[in-house]
Amino acid sequence: MPTVLVTGANGLLATHVIMELLAQGYQVKGLLRDKQKFQLGEHPHLMLIQGDFTHTPTISEAVRNCDFVIHAAALTNQDLINYAPYQRVNVEAVKELMKASIRAGVKKVVHVSSANAFGYGTKEHPGNETRGIRKPFSKSLYAYSKWEGQQEVLSFKNQMEVTVVNPTFMLGAYDAKPGSGRILLMGFPKKILFYPPGGKNFVGVRDVAIGVLKALKQGKNGEAYLLAGENLTYLEFFRKLSLITHQSPLYIRIPKGLLLSVGLIGNILRTLGMATQLSLNNMKILCINNFYSNHKASGELGLRFTPIEKGIGEGIEWFIKEGRIKQKP
């Protein structure tokens, strides 16, 4: 029975990856900071390791006797004001993981990067794996660190087998933080719904987890695969959400100029040393159509993507179960 180490085991994607691995008969090690926050129950083929991913001895011990590694841990905070923390976690620690995996005789590493490590496009000509990172993401500390970490991983392709997956914006259950699922909480329940002028690619986290396992089994060495679902403007997305949740809110578009003005205020706060998600660059991201193609993953991995309504529904259902969303009596 092959053994797989999954880093960041309590995250949205890693939780689903672990479920898929266990369902397919793998032995799984899950590395996470706090075992008490793990969302799944005990399993005879699952061992949890509590530790810090950036601690090299912890990583060296975690990869011991593993056949494969799926690296899903990352620093994703959008409120940090300098690059050093991102570089330490998303770049330097990744490099140490690769070195430790080689020393331990790991057969293959699947690295979870970000779709924004590639250049986005339009609905007619969506971004793909041949396009380099573009502004404003090249100016995003988080996105740039994911691009840099991806380059580090691929630099090891002549020493061991490595494959990169690049998910877009994931939605589904077990988003405990919450991370991407905050957009569901923002949009439900609302009588008036304010939305930004841009858009992005939305994908169900279950589809991404299946894609990760397909990349593990048949992803080519040194290749990256965009795991992308549906390209939607924010208005189109919130309309889907409203249909699923049986709402009829009033939609109001936030003017681009207003968002950029708020971003400038955020820049001033950051200059004063205040940690905030507000920045001019982050506001620019909300104003673009950040669209991608899943053609390569569909063709080479045989991956099929379900409508995003499934991911939305599973996310809403889980938030209701966890008491994050109150249903009307």
Side-chain angles (χ1 to χ4, degrees):
M1 181 183 298
T3 299
V4 184
L5 172 67
V6 180
T7 66
N10 206 32
L12 171 63
L13 175 57
T15 300
H16 286 270
V17 167
I18 289 172
M19 288 192 293
E20 289 293 331
L21 287 167
L22 293 174
Q24 295 189 29
Y26 288 88
Q27 187 79 29
V28 181
K29 290 183 181 181
L31 178 63
L32 71 177
R33 286 182 175 271
D34 187 352
K35 290 183 181 181
Q36 300 302 316
K37 294 183 178 180
F38 188 64
Q39 301 175 78
L40 305 177
E42 294 183 358
H43 192 284
H45 296 156
L46 173 63
M47 179 176 72
L48 297 179
I49 303 169
Q50 185 167 293
D52 185 347
F53 166 68
T54 64
H55 186 234
T56 301
T58 298
I59 285 295
S60 297
E61 178 61 26
V63 298
R64 191 163 60 88
N65 299 322
C66 288
D67 299 287
F68 307 105
V69 172
I70 296 173
H71 175 49
L75 179 62
T76 61
N77 302 43
Q78 297 292 320
D79 60 352
L80 303 182
I81 59 178
N82 64 73
Y83 189 62
Y86 295 106
Q87 186 172 41
R88 182 173 66 88
V89 178
N90 296 347
V91 183
E92 297 301 327
V94 170
K95 187 189 301 184
E96 293 304 314
L97 171 64
M98 297 304 298
K99 292 177 180 178
S101 297
I102 291 171
R103 291 194 301 268
V106 171
K107 299 174 183 175
K108 182 175 185 177
V109 173
V110 175
H111 173 67
V112 180
S113 184
S114 166
N116 300 135
F118 293 114
Y120 59 90
T122 63
K123 281 193 177 184
E124 295 75 18
H125 302 285
N128 59 41
E129 294 85 350
T130 67
R131 299 187 181 184
I133 186 171
R134 293 180 60 187
K135 292 180 181 180
F137 295 102
S138 58
K139 298 297 183 180
S140 161
L141 300 181
Y142 165 70
Y144 186 80
S145 72
K146 293 301 288 182
W147 173 85
E148 191 176 5
Q150 177 173 317
Q151 304 315 304
E152 287 288 353
V153 170
L154 293 174
S155 72
F156 285 89
K157 66 182 180 181
N158 294 326
Q159 300 176 62
M160 71 177 305
E161 192 170 354
V162 296
T163 299
V164 174
V165 292
N166 302 76
T168 57
F169 196 80
M170 296 178 286
L171 294 174
Y174 299 104
D175 193 358
K177 201 171 181 179
S180 52
R182 282 180 296 179
I183 196 171
L184 302 178
L185 300 177
M186 289 166 51
F188 174 73
K190 292 288 188 300
K191 292 183 178 180
I192 300 176
L193 209 159
F194 296 92
Y195 67 93
K200 63 173 59 183
N201 186 284
F202 297 85
V203 65
V205 68
R206 283 180 181 264
D207 290 345
V208 175
I210 293 170
V212 169
L213 265 67
K214 284 183 174 290
L216 180 66
K217 295 176 181 179
Q218 61 200 74
K220 295 179 181 178
N221 182 36
E223 292 291 325
Y225 298 89
L226 278 162
L227 304 183
E230 295 184 42
N231 292 312
L232 301 169
T233 65
Y234 287 109
L235 177 58
E236 289 170 336
F237 170 80
F238 283 123
R239 281 177 170 164
K240 285 180 179 287
L241 174 61
S242 297
L243 284 173
I244 292 169
T245 56
H246 308 292
Q247 298 183 99
S248 300
L250 173 65
Y251 300 102
I252 298 179
R253 185 176 185 267
I254 307 171
K256 180 178 178 179
L258 177 59
L259 286 172
L260 297 183
S261 297
V262 170
L264 285 171
I265 295 172
N267 278 9
I268 294 171
L269 296 176
R270 284 169 170 251
T271 301
L272 296 174
M274 184 178 297
T276 174
Q277 293 190 27
L278 297 177
S279 73
L280 181 58
N281 202 68
N282 285 346
M283 294 303 102
K284 287 180 179 178
I285 287 172
L286 292 175
C287 297
I288 63 169
N289 287 323
N290 177 22
F291 296 151
Y292 291 96
S293 167
N294 59 32
H295 180 76
K296 183 177 179 181
S298 298
E300 294 189 13
L301 302 181
L303 191 57
R304 297 294 175 262
F305 293 88
T306 55
I308 193 56
E309 283 85 350
K310 181 174 175 61
I312 295 172
E314 290 176 351
I316 289 290
E317 183 179 345
W318 188 80
F319 280 130
I320 291 173
K321 180 182 175 182
E322 294 295 306
R324 300 286 189 96
I325 292 176
K326 303 296 183 183
Q327 286 183 300
K328 294 181 180 179

